[in-house]
Amino acid sequence: MAKLDKLIQDLDAYRVKPMRRFKLAAIDSHVDGGMDKDQAVAGLTACREKLAKLQVKLYAQGTQALLVVFQAMDTAGKDSTIREVFTGINPQGVNVHGFKGPSSIELSHDYLWRIHAHTPERGKIGVFNRSHYEDVLIARVKELVPAAVWRRRYDHINAFEALLHDEGTRIVKFYLHISKDYQKERLQRRLDDPEKHWKFDPNDLVERARWDSYMKAYEEAMMRCSTEVAPWYIVPAETRWFRDLLVAQVLVKMLESMKPAPPKAKFDPSTIVIE
Amino acid sequence: MAKLDKLIQDLDAYRVKPMRRFKLAAIDSHVDGGMDKDQAVAGLTACREKLAKLQVKLYAQGTQALLVVFQAMDTAGKDSTIREVFTGINPQGVNVHGFKGPSSIELSHDYLWRIHAHTPERGKIGVFNRSHYEDVLIARVKELVPAAVWRRRYDHINAFEALLHDEGTRIVKFYLHISKDYQKERLQRRLDDPEKHWKFDPNDLVERARWDSYMKAYEEAMMRCSTEVAPWYIVPAETRWFRDLLVAQVLVKMLESMKPAPPKAKFDPSTIVIE
């Protein structure tokens, strides 16, 4: 378990430093932490058990929430990471929300309106599959809004996340990091397997063609919006069991640091008689 | 497995017949189906695996939804049934919503307004921990509205559920059935265990004192609103592993009858080249 202990100590190595420029292309997306799959799977199982227990305490306490954001290029495994990490936690304590292209009602409000509506209530874990970051990613890459508009959004987002934090919601954000070659492999696999055709959308290739623009947009978003209260983590995502383990370890560490504990009784049990 | 097969064949025995009067007091709440715990737990595990697979197909298909309603007296185990049956299904495909006393905004609308807002979108399983049935249960027992008002609600509810059904949402409703003596035991256990104090609310005893009125309200609600498209099941809930198994079996049967299947591809895979 020495490798696992080392990973737990090194979690900060995956955290994006505020306002420090970096290149995603320079970060290895194929990492296994020196572990083999069995070790990682055992580590993930242990994490799941810890998360399940921490969730019960968070719910009983009812004063804090946790918001977990996932962003990634297509095929990096947002869906499967969420499935692997959160399956096994009582679904009453976890709400997953997937953000798609905004509806006309949503578009008639500011871009954080629909996001705010889905933030977790106190006592719960909220998981976002895509998020308000799309408004500085796809909105920038596809020029859905002028540059002057998306540029000022980093400040909005930091202020919004600071509000959530100040009012009891802890935030952690994961970028699942893959290479363009890896995406090609995964897309080809979807095409080759009729059972996976429903996951394939020819439009995905249009986004793929803009890969470099997306990388630039991700780099800037993470550099500007990885803050003390709402850090971004870059998760090497090509070794799937390592990806899941890393995400789970960060979540365990975060929830433990929140020290959730059931509240004291507000009544005197010795005075109560049940008829 | 003969006992399990018999249970599967006999599921309809737990279904409430439309418009047929009955007394909850005459229905045994302590039932184990002639099984022992190990058999039931094995049966539940098999159900969970089936549910997990059916959920994936329901999601891929994206045209049908399933709404699962839980109602019960306090301590009957709504929370733990939901945990036991749905933990293990991808939380992206399941939304659990607990309805508490209505907020002032909710009260300024009709009583089905907040319910409608939380019905599952197509492709998903929605679970209600309490529901619109509170509006013919607590609202009736505590006289929150005049009798003329709650009496006409059965028709509203049947029409509302028929709408959901017609538009692609299948509905199943579970009443977790316990005796008043069993509730006393469970409440006492919460009082005796400091770790469970947060689950105890002295106000629960006020509701307990109205037990007979609640039974009458449940009987009428289930008699009037157990329909072909949205049946009520009465689940004997004092043997917890039997309770969980029965609920899971009904859900498996229901989802299987929906025949969820991924849609055919709308493109020709052989024409697509990934650059």
Side-chain angles (χ1 to χ4, degrees):
Chain A
M1 298 306 280
K3 300 282 185 192
L4 188 57
D5 291 341
K6 191 170 176 326
L7 173 65
I8 294 170
Q9 278 170 10
D10 288 353
L11 292 177
D12 275 353
Y14 299 92
R15 187 169 165 155
V16 177
K17 311 282 174 297
M19 296 311 287
R20 196 97 56 86
R21 285 200 183 278
F22 67 96
K23 285 283 168 201
L24 278 165
I27 297 174
D28 193 355
S29 52
H30 191 81
V31 169
D32 62 11
M35 267 175 276
D36 62 32
K37 186 174 172 181
D38 287 350
Q39 288 175 311
V41 169
L44 178 61
T45 303
C47 281
R48 278 207 203 100
E49 284 165 17
K50 284 183 193 167
L51 288 173
K53 283 182 191 159
L54 286 159
Q55 180 272 321
V56 174
K57 290 183 187 172
L58 190 76
Y59 183 78
Q61 183 184 40
T63 58
Q64 301 184 84
L66 175 64
L67 173 60
V68 187
V69 171
F70 288 94
Q71 286 285 162
M73 295 301 284
D74 198 33
T75 76
K78 295 187 298 299
D79 287 3
S80 60
T81 306
I82 294 170
R83 184 185 67 232
E84 291 301 316
V85 173
F86 293 97
T87 299
I89 301 184
N90 184 348
Q92 282 177 106
V94 181
N95 283 322
V96 183
H97 190 78
F99 288 96
K100 297 175 187 165
S103 70
S104 56
I105 292 177
E106 290 169 344
L107 280 172
S108 72
H109 293 266
D110 70 85
Y111 66 98
L112 290 175
W113 179 79
R114 65 174 187 156
I115 307 296
H116 211 157
H118 288 284
T119 52
E121 62 198 85
R122 295 185 182 103
K124 298 240 180 156
I125 299 171
V127 179
F128 284 178
N129 186 336
R130 305 187 185 272
S131 67
H132 44 303
Y133 283 92
E134 294 295 338
D135 297 292
V136 290
L137 294 166
I138 192 170
R140 168 181 177 164
V141 171
K142 295 178 85 168
E143 299 181 7
L144 304 179
V145 295
V149 169
W150 59 253
R151 270 206 197 102
R152 65 192 180 201
R153 288 184 173 172
Y154 304 116
D155 286 344
H156 302 156
I157 290 173
N158 287 338
F160 172 65
E161 293 179 355
L163 160 78
L164 296 182
H165 177 87
D166 288 348
E167 294 286 318
T169 299
R170 298 284 293 268
I171 304 163
V172 60
K173 299 170 292 195
F174 296 104
Y175 171 68
L176 306 183
H177 180 41
I178 58 172
S179 67
K180 196 174 176 186
D181 284 347
Y182 178 85
Q183 190 190 53
K184 183 174 179 174
E185 252 175 62
R186 303 297 302 184
L187 287 173
Q188 193 61 53
R189 198 182 292 203
R190 287 183 183 178
L191 267 188
D192 294 345
D193 180 354
E195 294 260 304
K196 293 202 167 90
H197 282 173
W198 66 275
K199 293 185 182 182
F200 187 90
D201 179 348
N203 279 324
D204 294 347
L205 300 182
V206 181
E207 300 307 310
R208 175 172 167 77
R210 298 178 169 120
W211 185 275
D212 293 342
S213 302
Y214 272 108
M215 291 304 105
K216 217 172 131 186
Y218 266 112
E219 287 158 1
E220 185 161 7
M222 290 197 274
M223 178 192 75
R224 294 195 184 280
C225 301
S226 188
T227 59
E228 206 49 54
V229 300
W232 270 105
Y233 284 82
I234 296 175
V235 178
E238 293 182 23
T239 308
R240 294 156 67 106
W241 42 262
F242 180 76
R243 171 198 74 188
D244 300 337
L245 175 65
L246 179 53
V247 168
Q249 289 289 6
V250 170
L251 292 176
V252 167
K253 189 180 165 190
M254 185 132 218
L255 272 164
E256 282 178 346
S257 77
M258 291 164 73
K259 301 192 199 316
K264 292 253 161 59
K266 290 189 192 99
F267 53 86
D268 176 358
S270 67
T271 62
I272 292 177
V273 179
I274 303 169
E275 305 288 342
Chain B
M1 299 307 279
K3 300 282 186 191
L4 187 56
D5 291 341
K6 190 170 175 329
L7 173 65
I8 295 169
Q9 279 171 10
D10 288 354
L11 291 178
D12 274 354
Y14 299 92
R15 187 168 166 157
V16 178
K17 311 281 174 298
M19 296 310 287
R20 196 98 56 86
R21 284 201 183 278
F22 67 96
K23 284 285 169 198
L24 279 166
I27 297 173
D28 193 356
S29 51
H30 190 81
V31 169
D32 63 12
M35 265 175 275
D36 62 32
K37 186 174 173 179
D38 287 350
Q39 288 174 308
V41 168
L44 178 60
T45 302
C47 282
R48 278 207 202 100
E49 284 165 17
K50 285 182 192 168
L51 289 172
K53 283 180 192 160
L54 286 160
Q55 179 272 320
V56 174
K57 289 183 188 172
L58 189 75
Y59 183 79
Q61 183 183 40
T63 58
Q64 302 183 85
L66 175 64
L67 173 60
V68 187
V69 172
F70 288 94
Q71 285 285 160
M73 296 299 285
D74 199 32
T75 75
K78 292 187 300 298
D79 286 3
S80 59
T81 305
I82 294 170
R83 184 185 67 233
E84 291 300 317
V85 174
F86 294 97
T87 299
I89 301 184
N90 185 347
Q92 282 176 108
V94 181
N95 282 322
V96 184
H97 189 79
F99 288 96
K100 298 176 186 162
S103 71
S104 56
I105 293 177
E106 290 169 344
L107 280 173
S108 71
H109 293 266
D110 71 85
Y111 66 97
L112 290 175
W113 179 79
R114 66 173 187 155
I115 307 297
H116 212 156
H118 288 283
T119 50
E121 63 199 84
R122 295 185 182 103
K124 298 239 179 157
I125 299 171
V127 180
F128 284 179
N129 186 335
R130 303 185 186 274
S131 67
H132 43 305
Y133 283 91
E134 293 296 337
D135 296 291
V136 290
L137 294 166
I138 192 169
R140 167 180 177 165
V141 171
K142 295 178 85 169
E143 299 179 7
L144 303 180
V145 295
V149 169
W150 59 254
R151 271 207 196 102
R152 64 193 181 202
R153 289 184 172 172
Y154 304 116
D155 287 344
H156 303 156
I157 289 174
N158 287 338
F160 172 65
E161 293 178 355
L163 160 77
L164 296 182
H165 177 86
D166 288 348
E167 293 287 319
T169 298
R170 296 285 292 269
I171 304 164
V172 60
K173 301 170 290 194
F174 295 105
Y175 171 68
L176 306 182
H177 180 39
I178 58 171
S179 67
K180 195 174 177 187
D181 284 347
Y182 178 84
Q183 189 190 55
K184 182 175 180 173
E185 252 175 61
R186 304 296 302 185
L187 286 172
Q188 192 63 52
R189 199 183 289 202
R190 288 184 183 176
L191 267 188
D192 293 346
D193 179 355
E195 295 259 303
K196 294 202 166 91
H197 281 173
W198 67 275
K199 293 185 182 183
F200 187 91
D201 179 348
N203 279 323
D204 295 344
L205 300 181
V206 180
E207 300 308 311
R208 175 171 167 77
R210 297 179 171 119
W211 186 274
D212 293 343
S213 302
Y214 271 107
M215 291 305 104
K216 217 173 133 184
Y218 267 111
E219 287 157 2
E220 186 162 5
M222 290 196 275
M223 177 192 76
R224 294 195 183 279
C225 300
S226 190
T227 59
E228 207 49 53
V229 299
W232 270 105
Y233 284 82
I234 296 175
V235 178
E238 294 182 23
T239 308
R240 294 156 68 106
W241 44 261
F242 179 76
R243 172 198 72 189
D244 299 338
L245 175 65
L246 179 53
V247 168
Q249 290 288 7
V250 170
L251 293 176
V252 167
K253 189 181 165 188
M254 184 132 218
L255 273 163
E256 284 177 346
S257 76
M258 293 164 73
K259 303 193 198 313
K264 293 249 161 61
K266 291 190 193 96
F267 52 89
D268 176 358
S270 67
T271 62
I272 293 177
V273 179
I274 302 170
E275 304 289 338

